[in-house]
Amino acid sequence: AVLIFLPGCIVIRSTEHRISVNDDGTGEAVLRLIDLRSDEMADSLVERDFRIMMSSYEKEGAAEFSRQGRTITAKKMYTRADTLYAEIAYAFENLQAIEGLHVTDTEIYVIVSATRHVVRTNGQVQPWTADAQRIVWKRDARRLLYQITENSLPSSSSLARYYRTLE
C-alpha cells in the first residue's frame, strides 16, 4: 500500500490499516508498516536502500498522498527488537482515495492475493478468485480494520539497525 513511499528493494512483512469513516464519507486512517526490510544482501546496498527509503518517507510520500486525495497528519518510525515499524496517519476526502479499497453501493472490500494472508480484520473474509480472497464490510461501516502479512519473504535484511543509528 505504501510502496509509493519506498524504493523497489524495500520489503514489508505486514501492513495494518485502521480506517474511521465519517457520515459524509470523509475520514481518518492509520497505516502501519510492520518489519521494513531490504532485499539487498551487501551491507553497503542495504544502507543505500535505507537512505533512499528515509528520503522518500520524509519528502516525496506526502506529495504522493496529496495527489491521491489524502493528507498526512502524522507519521513516525520506531523499532522493537530487530523490527522497524512505520506509521502514517492521514485524512481522506472519500473512500476511493484509499489505495486498494473498492467501494460499491452495498459494500466496501479489499482484495488479498494468495501470496498474503489476513492476520485479523473486523470485516468478513470471503473467497474471491482462485488466487485471491477479499475482506468485505457493509457499505455503511464506520470502522474498517485489517492486517495482512506476506506468506513468505525473499532473503532480506531488517532496516531496524540502521534506523537505531538515527535515534
Side-chain angles (χ1 to χ4, degrees), residues 7 9-10 36-56 84 156-163 165-166:
C9 298
I10 300 298
L36 292 110
R37 309 177 69 79
S38 168
D39 66 356
E40 297 289 355
M41 291 295 111
D43 283 347
S44 62
L45 296 176
V46 173
E47 186 175 357
R48 180 204 66 197
D49 280 354
F50 176 75
R51 284 192 316 271
I52 293 169
M53 178 196 71
M54 289 304 294
S55 176
S56 179
L84 178 60
S156 57
S157 300
S158 173
L159 296 174
R161 68 179 170 148
Y162 297 96
Y163 185 75
T165 65
L166 302 176

Side-chain angles (χ1 to χ4, degrees), residues 10-22:
I10 300 298
V11 178
I12 304 166
R13 181 179 305 274
S14 298
T15 58
E16 180 181 270
H17 304 260
R18 294 176 179 267
I19 303 165
S20 296
V21 184
N22 300 321

Side-chain angles (χ1 to χ4, degrees), residues 19 21 95 98 100-111 123-124 126 134-144 146:
I19 303 165
V21 184
L95 286 171
I98 300 175
L101 208 59
H102 302 272
V103 182
T104 70
D105 290 341
T106 59
E107 61 188 14
I108 302 168
Y109 65 95
V110 173
I111 298 171
Q124 293 184 336
Q126 300 176 345
R134 66 185 193 147
I135 305 169
V136 180
W137 298 267
K138 291 182 179 179
R139 178 62 178 91
D140 62 353
R142 293 296 172 245
R143 296 204 28 88
L144 314 175
Y146 62 102

Side-chain angles (χ1 to χ4, degrees), residues 56-84:
S56 179
Y57 179 77
E58 292 169 359
K59 297 175 186 165
E60 298 97 23
E64 182 65 28
F65 260 57
S66 180
R67 282 191 292 277
Q68 296 178 358
R70 300 174 286 179
T71 303
I72 294 177
T73 56
K75 57 185 176 177
K76 68 179 178 177
M77 284 190 157
Y78 57 94
T79 60
R80 287 192 188 144
D82 191 32
T83 303
L84 178 60

